């Protein structure tokens, strides 16, 4: 994105000192196209130019710009800042139960992104106090770093005259903004166990530290994947699948209700050939009595 913003249009022929694989470059450009940062010819769009002004990953920059349009930038700037630093919760070995109890007070039903917002707001209400962090098992260094990032992002918004407004408790707008940036990180509940990512069909699981652990909603958006014993989704949020069509029409389309999906086709049960009876005789609707 930064190279495009500098006016380098043909990235594949650019004279890098240590060129990345062509496949990686193409995948990155496809991702930028899906986010709306590049047009059909691979040139920067107006939104792509704005995204390049923020010192953030493109997905976070797109989230922030969408929140300005939806009127919830005050909350999203905080969430983006908290996602840009290390996990603010800490869990000392000798006080694990106490730390979990304190953490449970911050957990929000909408997911981890709103939980991070609740933590920052509670710290703000304590007048940015260090003893409050110590009491609530919050890493003071992480949350102060998030505060610095937040000030920097607000400064950029101010410089480009982007309106930063609050949506109050209307967290659906916040979740829509995050969906606009992270639609490629959508996952659907798998009937057997865990979840499958929509893009690659990769089996993934909710991280045990998540606010949605054991809640098992049907649809989720995750911030990142962490591989330990399993592939875990860290920082997950409830998702309404209709938002994927609304915010990523280039990437997702409505399935044809008359057609079977690949997965459903694989699950379809075909009975063995029976030459003595009609092909539909096995159906319950054809049986008498």
């Amino acid at each position: 994105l930064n190279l495009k913003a500098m006016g380098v249009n043909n990235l594949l022929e650019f004279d890098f000192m240590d060129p990345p694989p062509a496949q990686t470059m193409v995948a990155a450009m496809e991702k930028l196209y899906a986010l709306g940062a590049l047009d059909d010819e691979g040139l920067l769009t107006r939104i792509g130019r704005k995204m390049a002004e923020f010192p953030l990953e493109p997905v976070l920059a797109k989230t922030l710009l969408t929140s300005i349009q939806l009127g919830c930038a005050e909350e999203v700037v905080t969430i983006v800042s908290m996602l840009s630093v290390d996990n603010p919760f800490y869990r000392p070995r000798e006080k694990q139960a106490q730390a979990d109890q304190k953490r449970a007070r911050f957990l929000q039903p909408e997911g981890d992104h709103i939980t991070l917002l609740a933590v920052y707001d509670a710290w703000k209400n304590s007048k940015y106090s260090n003893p409050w962090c110590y009491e609530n098992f919050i890493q003071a260094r992480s949350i102060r770093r998030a505060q610095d990032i937040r000030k920097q992002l607000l400064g950029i918004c101010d410089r480009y005259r982007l309106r930063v407004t609050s949506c109050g408790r209307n967290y659906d707008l916040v979740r829509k903004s995050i969906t606009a940036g992270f639609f490629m990180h959508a996952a659907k509940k798998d009937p057997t166990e865990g979840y499958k990512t929509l893009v690659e069909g990769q089996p993934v699981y909710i991280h045990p530290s998540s606010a949605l652990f054991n809640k098992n909603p049907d649809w989720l958006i995750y911030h990142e994947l962490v591989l330990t014993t399993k592939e875990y989704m860290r920082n997950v949020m409830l998702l309404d699948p209709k938002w994927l069509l609304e915010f990523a029409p280039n990437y997702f389309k409505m399935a044809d209700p008359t057609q079977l999906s690949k997965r459903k086709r694989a699950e379809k049960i075909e009975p063995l050939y029976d030459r003595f009876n009609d092909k539909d005789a096995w159906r319950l609707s054809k049986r008498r009595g």
Side-chain angles (χ1 to χ4, degrees), residues 46-169:
R46 190 178 290 178
I47 195 162
R49 196 161 289 285
K50 282 183 184 171
M51 282 164 66
E53 296 298 336
F54 289 94
L56 295 168
E57 290 172 41
V59 282
L60 289 171
K62 178 67 188 289
T63 298
L64 188 48
L65 288 170
T66 307
S67 72
I68 289 163
Q69 291 171 345
L70 296 179
C72 57
E74 185 75 42
E75 288 73 22
V76 171
V77 167
T78 303
I79 292 169
V80 165
S81 306
M82 291 292 275
L83 290 171
S84 304
V85 298
D86 295 333
N87 181 12
F89 296 101
Y90 76 96
R91 200 168 173 251
R93 191 168 290 170
E94 65 284 358
K95 293 183 179 176
Q96 284 182 355
Q98 207 177 332
D100 290 345
Q101 206 176 346
K102 292 281 186 185
R103 183 195 175 106
R105 285 164 48 191
F106 295 112
L107 300 182
Q108 300 293 314
E110 296 86 358
D112 299 323
H113 297 74
I114 309 298
T115 298
L116 291 174
L117 175 64
V119 169
Y120 188 90
D121 285 347
W123 181 57
K124 184 175 157 188
N125 293 338
S126 77
K127 297 192 169 51
Y128 309 109
S129 139
N130 268 356
W132 180 90
C133 293
Y134 182 74
E135 266 170 49
N136 290 281
F137 298 92
I138 302 294
Q139 311 247 26
R141 187 184 293 175
S142 287
I143 207 164
R144 286 208 180 280
R145 173 96 185 98
Q147 187 186 28
D148 292 342
I149 293 170
R150 190 174 187 278
K151 281 178 188 166
Q152 188 184 353
L153 295 177
L154 287 174
I156 295 168
C157 291
D158 193 39
R159 193 189 318 151
Y160 292 100
R161 295 184 184 168
L162 301 171
R163 285 190 64 204
V164 176
T165 50
S166 171
C167 63
R169 305 278 303 170

Side-chain angles (χ1 to χ4, degrees), residues 181-285:
F182 285 87
F183 54 84
M184 288 178 252
H185 292 186
K188 186 174 191 261
K189 195 170 179 200
D190 190 45
T192 48
E193 63 159 346
Y195 287 79
K196 283 239 171 96
T197 60
L198 281 195
V199 179
E200 291 172 356
Q202 181 183 354
V204 287
Y205 300 85
I206 296 177
H207 198 275
S209 66
S210 171
L212 296 179
F213 187 63
N214 288 336
K215 302 277 193 306
N216 298 332
D218 289 340
W219 295 84
L220 287 175
I221 270 190
Y222 62 88
H223 177 61
E224 60 185 355
L225 292 176
V226 181
L227 180 62
T228 51
T229 49
K230 293 176 181 171
E231 195 90 54
Y232 282 113
M233 299 178 283
R234 186 177 278 167
N235 291 325
V236 295
M237 176 193 84
L238 292 177
L239 168 69
D240 183 335
K242 292 193 202 90
W243 297 344
L244 295 173
L245 296 169
E246 186 183 339
F247 292 102
N250 294 346
Y251 210 78
F252 294 103
K253 65 174 194 286
M254 183 70 90
D256 184 348
T258 60
Q259 298 271 308
L260 283 176
S261 68
K262 269 187 197 166
R263 198 185 84 193
K264 294 281 186 203
R265 212 174 291 133
E267 288 172 0
K268 191 178 175 188
I269 297 170
E270 289 288 353
L272 296 171
Y273 177 65
D274 179 0
R275 65 197 174 96
F276 300 107
N277 290 305
D278 177 53
K279 72 181 179 73
D280 283 329
W282 63 277
R283 295 183 185 277
L284 290 175
S285 56

